[in-house]
């Protein structure tokens, strides 16, 4: 900083504390701006969908009615907590904040907006804490907000949007693990719970991060080294499951609902392995920034993976391992429920955008990040156009939130709970 004494310039060294406060102020302003854009986008997207909620299995195989009732009705069925372990706890929090007298339509829109702010903020912060500049963090956030994973899923009740937020939060936590061994073990177990809390398969992101922290690298004898770090990973996994079991028990007594399945009761999910006929590259929908409505959606997904692969070479061991998570998602959905792979896109696209931005920021030129942000804006326009058409086509199969028969009282619980509508047969869809 330059000041003037008797008309002469004098260089004064700014203290690190002042510099940090200035940086935090700039970051705070950027986050607020991006959060405002995310909320405005959510209102536009909500309006494009007519403010309606698609019925069960109408919208890319999603259980919108199950998610809505789990959020607002403690007497609903919570069978799917087997693969969304702590989603019920979020419902307890949502009901406590919304209250019984709040209009359900207003409460749902407020919920969408809060999730949008969370995704925008966590994408920006995750990019910054791993060394990206403000431009890189902004580009990652704009690409995330313009992607189909946001435009198509932010204004419908779905758990996978929360799955993407949990992976971003995990990415931030792994950057700030404490040095003390005891606290570090607890933090690692907590990170396990964060990763698995909303979507079971997101535990892959935690596993990749733990391998990297243990010194594993895909660049140096990965198979041999995997055997070496295996015992530590197994120990950390058991600690994480223990903490998850404690959180699940608290959730169980908070909900007091007998439809909650046993913890990690997941064997029934094997029915989705190869069950739906679909192109073998259908898994690309899980990582595509475009929706399946676009004729180039699969190419866009493969292209995003290619750009991410190009960026891997400039990332350190831990970011590199975390950046492999979208690739793992693509591989997973080439055989697991690939017909509905787009349902899982919110888990993978935000983290892919984060590490693409980090990789491009190492090129020491601003134009790649500016191009990335511009692509995000163009994607947003294309996805919103396709989204409006899809929601118009299924309007007759959608209802306002207020039309759902939701009991917002915690007790008494009916003696017999009606089952949720059955999943479609495991075969070709109409």
């Amino acid at each position: 900083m330059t000041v003037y004494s008797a008309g002469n310039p004098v260089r004064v060294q700014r203290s690190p504390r002042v510099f940090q406060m200035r940086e935090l102020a700039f970051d705070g302003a950027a986050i607020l701006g991006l959060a405002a854009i995310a909320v405005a986008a959510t209102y536009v997207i909500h309006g494009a969908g007519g403010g309606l909620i698609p019925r069960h299995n109408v919208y890319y195989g999603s259980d919108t009615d199950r998610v809505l009732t789990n959020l607002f009705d403690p007497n609903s069925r919570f069978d799917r907590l087997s693969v969304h372990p702590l989603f019920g706890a979020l419902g307890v929090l949502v009901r406590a904040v919304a209250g019984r007298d709040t209009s359900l339509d207003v409460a749902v829109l407020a919920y969408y907006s809060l999730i949008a702010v969370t995704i925008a903020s966590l994408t920006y912060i995750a990019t910054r804490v791993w060394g990206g500049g403000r431009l890189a963090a902004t580009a990652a956030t704009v690409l995330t907000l313009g992607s189909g994973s946001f435009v198509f899923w932010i204004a419908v009740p779905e758990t996978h949007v929360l799955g993407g937020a949990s992976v971003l939060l995990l990415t931030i936590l792994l950057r700030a693990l404490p040095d003390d061994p005891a606290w570090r073990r607890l933090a690692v177990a907590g990170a396990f719970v964060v990763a698995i809390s909303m979507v079971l398969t997101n535990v892959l992101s935690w596993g990749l991060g733990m391998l990297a922290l243990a010194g594993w690298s895909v660049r140096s004898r990965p198979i041999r080294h995997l055997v070496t770090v295996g015992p530590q990973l197994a120990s950390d996994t058991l600690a994480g499951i223990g903490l998850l079991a404690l959180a699940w028990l608290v959730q169980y007594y908070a909900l007091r609902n007998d439809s909650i399945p046993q913890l990690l009761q997941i064997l029934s999910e094997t029915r989705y392995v190869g069950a739906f006929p679909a192109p073998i590259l259908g898994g690309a929908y899980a990582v595509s920034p475009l929706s399946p409505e676009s004729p180039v959606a699969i190419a866009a997904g493969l292209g995003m993976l290619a750009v991410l692969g190009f960026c891997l070479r400039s990332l350190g061991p831990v970011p590199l391992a975390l950046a492999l998570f979208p690739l793992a998602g693509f591989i997973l959905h080439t055989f697991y429920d690939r017909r509905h792979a787009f349902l899982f896109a919110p888990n993978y696209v935000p983290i892919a955008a984060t590490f693409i931005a980090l990789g491009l920021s190492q090129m020491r030129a601003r134009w790649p990040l500016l191009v990335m942000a511009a692509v995000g804006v163009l994607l947003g326009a294309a996805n919103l156009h396709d989204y409006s058409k899809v929601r118009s086509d299924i309007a007759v199969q959608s209802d306002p939130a207020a039309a759902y028969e939701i009991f917002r009282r915690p007790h008494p619980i009916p003696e017999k709970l009606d089952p949720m509508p059955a999943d479609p047969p495991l075969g070709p869809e109409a």
Side-chain angles (χ1 to χ4, degrees), residues 229-272:
V229 302
Q232 180 63 51
L233 181 63
S235 175
D236 290 337
T237 301
L238 289 175
I241 292 175
L243 190 58
L244 176 67
L246 179 61
W248 181 88
L249 190 63
V250 172
Q251 172 183 253
Y252 181 86
Y253 282 103
L255 288 172
R256 294 178 175 271
N257 187 312
D258 291 336
S259 70
I260 298 176
Q262 296 179 1
L263 181 63
L264 301 181
Q265 186 179 337
I266 59 175
L267 291 180
S268 63
E269 291 301 300
T270 56
R271 63 191 170 135
Y272 293 109

Side-chain angles (χ1 to χ4, degrees), residues 347-370:
N347 296 290
Y348 305 109
V349 173
I351 195 68
T354 295
F355 287 108
I356 287 175
L358 282 171
L360 294 179
S361 66
Q362 301 300 313
M363 296 178 65
R364 299 182 180 179
R366 297 166 62 90
W367 69 264
L369 293 171
L370 293 174

